[in-house]
Amino acid sequence: MTYEAGSYDVIVVGAGHAGVEAGLASARLGAKTLMITINLDMVAFMPCNPSVGGPAKGIVVREIDALGGEMGKNIDKTHIQMRMLNTGKGPAVRALRAQADKFTYQHEMKKTLENEPNLRMIQGMVERLIVEDGECKGVITQTGAVYSSKTVVITTGTFLRGEIILGELKYSSGPNNQQPSIKLSEHLQELGFDLVRFKTGTPPRVNSHSIDYSKTEIQPGDDVPRAFSFETTKFITDQLPCWLTYTNEETHTLIDNNLHRSPMYSGMIKGTGPRYCPSIEDKVVRFNDKPRHQIFLEPEGRNTQEVYVQGLSTSLPEDVQQKILRTIPGLENVQMMRAGYAIEYDAIVPTQLWPTLETKKVKNLFTAGQINGTSGYEEAAGQGLMAGMNAGLKSLEKEEVILSRSDAYIGVLIDDLVTKGTNEPYRLLTSRAEYRLLLRHDNADLRLTELGHKVGLIRDERYEKFLLKKQAIEEEKNRLQGIIIKPTSEVQELIKSQGGSELKDGIRASDLLKRPEMTYEHIQRLVPAEGTLDPDVTEQVEIQIKYEGYIEKSLQQVERLKKMENKKIPENIDYDAINGLASEAKQKLKEVRPLSIAQASRISGVNPADISILLVYLEQGRIARVSAE
């Protein structure tokens, strides 16, 4: 029996990191939004590492914030430790990472969702979609409730036909022993979606009281106040440390001797695991020349004794896990509270999506997060924001948004997924971004706040502050470009003290700042600005002046790419009718259905010769149309 339960603009299925961003984005745009999740106690839960950020991922969190999302604000309010990584390297690879209080994080996010006026949350299991004439028009739950909507966003994470594997034990389950979603997965196959089987894993959790921290190395947070959100003004100062220890030869021998009991090597695990987050047994086998591997002991929160053993992800039997732990310095008498496990789940092949994250097979249906083949909370949240934004915009009959690879790491992530697909759980890396000097942690607001405001997710008050910051940066850059610093004794002494060569003549302040040994603080001592400038402003001034040449080269590359992006490919093009295209190229182009020549050029299996033929064909088609007119 079914019953009519309500009508909405947007329905979001799932309330993990993708789901919460999707629900908030659509609701804040003015779309009447319903969020349905299997368990309301698991909203924004962190089933794996209790952290947010890191290389590339931390920049995604900044981008989410610049576009009006919530993850950055939430981790700023609930972290137990914050660190800037790669501070000794250039600005393109610097990234913020926060250790989360996983319980406070999810409670704070749930409170934010509950207080969003346009958003309703309910507990339920979605089993089917309402699809009529190729369009999604709502969902049906396990209890027979029928919710109609203009658009639907599926963010089911690792719940689709989830199976937990621990040693010889295998059972149907979502993460953390939650109820899995089985019928929805079967229904997606009925609708004609191609699914793949992926795997991820998690390490054991141990009792802090049973750790001998004197045998480990302390890893404190930064002394300098830091935040992900550009709006954060209150900073947490009472940080908790993490601790570093290592595996050793005894650990590795124990793992080698028990590989026959590992589900990874016995054939029990069929799904493909994440390359960049391997299990400890995989690390020991693949890197058998390494005498040790890092193990980080990370507190799961302020009000729990559970400690996450990062670096020890495993699905070995429980008794073996206990023995492995006790070979590690500091953990000789450790008490394991939860065993590590692997989880297999269904994901859709992401080349079945448009760059808006709407599915090609079913109109008005969007997907985001691990269902699209990614790994990581940040990748999920970035997709959730874009899927929720586009589902909301579509329901309100407004133009949808696509981020390019030169706009944001989120743009790189989505373009990689929908253009190239993935044969393993996808993880963002700085090396995946060809314009990473433009896509920095420090300038996410300069790149994306304008768009966030235009769409309607950035409030006017915040936008006004942003415009003042932009103005201050330009004014200070212009000031430094207009000042000539003369080679006085004071100037020469300062330059010499920093290991630089003395001036032979006067020099623009901006050119002096370009010298590697000079900082903005040095220039300030020589030619102080009037009044006090915000540190965010001076940081931008220094980076933009120092890296001006490199940034200009990247911007020129972006302009060349834009010309290719502007060469659109008609949606109804018949690739079989194009003479000269390689068979593989035809197959891949028909599968991905790229929207532009630039996207077509990034498809694996489509080579430059195919692109040339495609360009000639499109140009001939344009000429034919002009002649016909």
Side-chain angles (χ1 to χ4, degrees):
M1 286 287 292
T2 60
Y3 71 96
E4 295 296 327
S7 180
Y8 296 84
D9 293 321
V10 179
I11 293 174
V12 177
V13 180
H17 302 281
V20 296
E21 295 292 351
L24 287 169
S26 64
R28 288 168 176 173
L29 288 174
K32 185 183 175 188
T33 304
L34 173 69
M35 181 181 288
I36 308 175
T37 181
I38 293 172
N39 185 349
L40 280 169
D41 295 330
M42 299 290 286
V43 168
F45 184 68
M46 294 179 165
C48 200
N49 197 339
S51 72
V52 167
K57 293 166 175 277
I59 301 172
V60 169
V61 181
R62 295 276 275 185
E63 292 173 351
I64 289 167
D65 183 73
L67 286 166
E70 198 64 30
M71 180 176 256
K73 291 184 180 67
N74 205 59
I75 190 65
D76 286 352
K77 287 187 278 186
T78 60
H79 67 269
I80 57 176
Q81 186 192 104
M82 190 83 80
R83 292 177 71 192
M84 182 66 82
L85 308 181
N86 299 328
T87 51
K89 298 181 181 178
V93 292
R94 288 175 205 155
L96 202 54
R97 184 183 186 273
Q99 204 61 38
D101 186 318
K102 66 188 286 184
F103 307 105
T104 311
Y105 183 93
Q106 66 178 122
H107 294 153
E108 188 64 32
M109 189 67 90
K110 183 166 181 270
K111 185 167 78 175
T112 301
L113 292 161
E114 289 169 342
N115 289 333
E116 189 60 47
N118 227 11
L119 177 65
R120 182 190 172 198
M121 297 169 69
I122 62 165
Q123 186 164 291
M125 170 85 76
V126 171
E127 292 193 334
R128 295 185 70 80
L129 305 172
I130 303 164
V131 179
E132 297 171 8
D133 300 323
E135 290 189 23
C136 188
K137 302 208 168 169
V139 304
I140 304 171
T141 70
Q142 191 178 44
T143 57
V146 177
Y147 296 96
S148 60
S149 65
K150 295 173 184 173
T151 57
V152 171
V153 186
I154 301 179
T155 66
T156 45
T158 60
F159 280 79
L160 285 184
R161 277 202 305 212
E163 288 183 305
I164 280 181
I165 303 151
L166 173 52
E168 293 86 9
L169 176 66
K170 185 174 188 176
Y171 58 95
S172 181
S173 175
N176 208 46
N177 287 330
Q178 292 297 301
Q179 192 178 356
S181 176
I182 296 168
K183 290 194 175 176
L184 181 58
S185 188
E186 293 168 353
H187 180 55
L188 289 171
Q189 283 184 305
E190 284 170 28
L191 291 170
F193 285 100
D194 293 330
L195 303 182
V196 288
R197 199 79 175 148
F198 280 168
K199 177 221 96 159
T200 188
T202 185
R205 273 70 160 180
V206 299
N207 191 318
S208 180
H209 289 315
S210 62
I211 297 171
D212 182 355
Y213 288 107
S214 68
K215 296 182 179 178
T216 67
E217 301 168 31
I218 192 166
Q219 304 284 299
D222 288 350
D223 294 333
V224 182
R226 301 197 188 276
F228 279 101
S229 174
F230 291 93
E231 290 194 285
T232 295
T233 54
K234 291 181 181 176
F235 298 91
I236 293 171
T237 53
D238 57 329
Q239 300 186 71
L240 300 183
C242 296
W243 307 83
L244 173 64
T245 183
Y246 297 89
T247 61
N248 51 52
E249 193 177 328
E250 186 185 354
T251 318
H252 300 179
T253 302
L254 185 57
I255 291 167
D256 280 331
N257 291 343
N258 284 278
L259 282 179
H260 64 286
R261 298 184 67 194
S262 165
M264 279 192 64
Y265 293 93
S266 69
M268 187 183 285
I269 288 177
K270 308 290 184 195
T272 308
R275 178 191 305 257
Y276 300 102
C277 189
S279 66
I280 187 63
E281 49 267 43
D282 202 17
K283 281 194 275 193
V284 167
V285 170
R286 279 166 53 191
F287 308 107
N288 57 15
D289 56 321
K290 289 206 167 187
R292 64 181 192 171
H293 295 285
Q294 287 185 328
I295 301 293
F296 289 96
L297 305 175
E298 302 176 339
E300 294 224 313
R302 294 182 188 277
N303 298 307
T304 177
Q305 291 305 313
E306 282 192 72
V307 173
Y308 181 92
V309 187
Q310 167 154 284
L312 209 71
S313 178
T314 182
S315 56
L316 281 161
E318 197 173 294
D319 60 306
V320 178
Q321 291 189 36
Q322 183 72 64
K323 289 173 187 169
I324 289 169
L325 284 166
R326 294 192 168 182
T327 64
I328 296 168
L331 306 183
E332 293 87 350
N333 298 302
V334 81
Q335 295 169 8
M336 186 168 73
M337 297 177 74
R338 302 183 202 226
Y341 62 84
I343 183 167
E344 283 190 337
Y345 56 95
D346 286 345
I348 74 162
V349 175
T351 50
Q352 298 169 105
L353 304 173
W354 296 114
T356 58
L357 296 181
E358 183 179 13
T359 68
K360 295 171 183 173
K361 287 188 185 296
V362 180
K363 286 183 178 176
N364 302 329
L365 175 65
F366 297 75
T367 58
Q370 282 186 272
I371 187 177
N372 288 346
T374 56
S375 66
Y377 311 140
E378 304 85 356
E379 289 92 335
Q383 291 173 73
L385 176 71
M386 297 311 296
M389 184 192 296
N390 284 327
L393 290 168
K394 190 164 192 188
S395 75
L396 299 170
E397 299 181 0
K398 294 182 179 179
E399 188 181 350
E400 293 160 82
V401 173
I402 295 172
L403 292 175
S404 76
R405 298 181 72 88
S406 57
D407 288 330
Y409 268 96
I410 298 171
V412 174
L413 161 68
I414 293 173
D415 184 67
D416 277 354
L417 290 174
V418 305
T419 304
K420 301 172 185 174
T422 183
N423 54 13
E424 62 190 30
Y426 176 101
R427 178 180 181 174
L428 256 180
L429 306 164
T430 52
S431 58
R432 296 193 193 271
E434 58 271 51
Y435 306 116
R436 57 186 171 273
L437 185 55
L438 301 179
L439 309 181
R440 305 185 308 274
H441 163 93
D442 60 83
N443 72 349
D445 61 335
L446 298 174
R447 290 185 276 121
L448 297 168
T449 305
E450 191 91 39
L451 175 61
H453 181 255
K454 181 183 171 186
V455 168
L457 291 177
I458 295 290
R459 299 183 318 276
D460 288 345
E461 182 190 356
R462 176 173 175 180
Y463 186 60
E464 291 301 323
K465 287 181 181 174
F466 162 74
L467 291 178
L468 288 173
K469 175 182 173 180
K470 266 182 80 173
Q471 183 183 343
I473 293 165
E474 288 308 310
E475 286 176 354
E476 181 62 0
K477 279 168 62 182
N478 290 337
R479 184 182 79 88
L480 296 183
Q481 282 161 2
I483 292 177
I484 302 294
I485 293 179
K486 294 179 179 174
T488 63
S489 56
E490 180 198 359
V491 169
Q492 304 288 41
E493 191 57 43
L494 175 62
I495 293 171
K496 268 170 53 183
S497 71
Q498 299 307 308
S501 55
E502 292 186 358
L503 297 181
K504 293 189 171 65
D505 206 343
I507 186 173
R508 289 181 190 274
S510 54
D511 289 337
L512 184 58
L513 180 53
K514 285 180 183 177
R515 288 191 173 195
E517 73 275 8
M518 301 303 284
T519 67
Y520 178 81
E521 284 181 13
H522 295 139
I523 305 300
Q524 266 288 84
R525 277 159 58 182
L526 299 174
V527 284
E530 286 183 27
T532 306
L533 289 174
D534 190 285
D536 285 350
V537 170
T538 59
E539 179 186 40
Q540 279 308 305
V541 169
E542 181 163 350
I543 289 171
Q544 288 183 27
I545 288 176
K546 269 192 183 297
Y547 295 91
E548 183 183 23
Y550 298 106
I551 290 170
E552 189 55 42
K553 279 183 185 174
S554 293
L555 289 171
Q556 287 168 6
Q557 288 178 318
V558 170
E559 283 308 308
R560 286 196 291 272
L561 177 74
K562 275 184 181 167
K563 288 177 185 173
M564 291 177 71
E565 293 286 5
N566 290 334
K567 287 186 172 129
K568 301 297 180 190
I569 300 174
E571 204 176 308
N572 59 352
I573 191 170
D574 181 3
Y575 290 107
D576 289 323
I578 305 177
N579 293 327
L581 273 184
S583 299
E584 184 185 4
K586 284 182 181 179
Q587 178 199 332
K588 293 292 180 70
L589 288 164
K590 285 191 287 187
E591 179 189 321
V592 175
R593 288 152 69 190
L595 300 176
S596 68
I597 287 292
Q599 190 186 356
S601 71
R602 294 191 291 269
I603 298 172
S604 174
V606 177
N607 62 42
D610 297 313
I611 294 298
S612 297
I613 291 164
L614 185 55
L615 276 167
V616 169
Y617 180 84
L618 290 172
E619 187 63 22
Q620 286 173 342
R622 189 183 71 77
I623 293 165
R625 284 196 301 277
V626 171
S627 302
E629 288 167 7

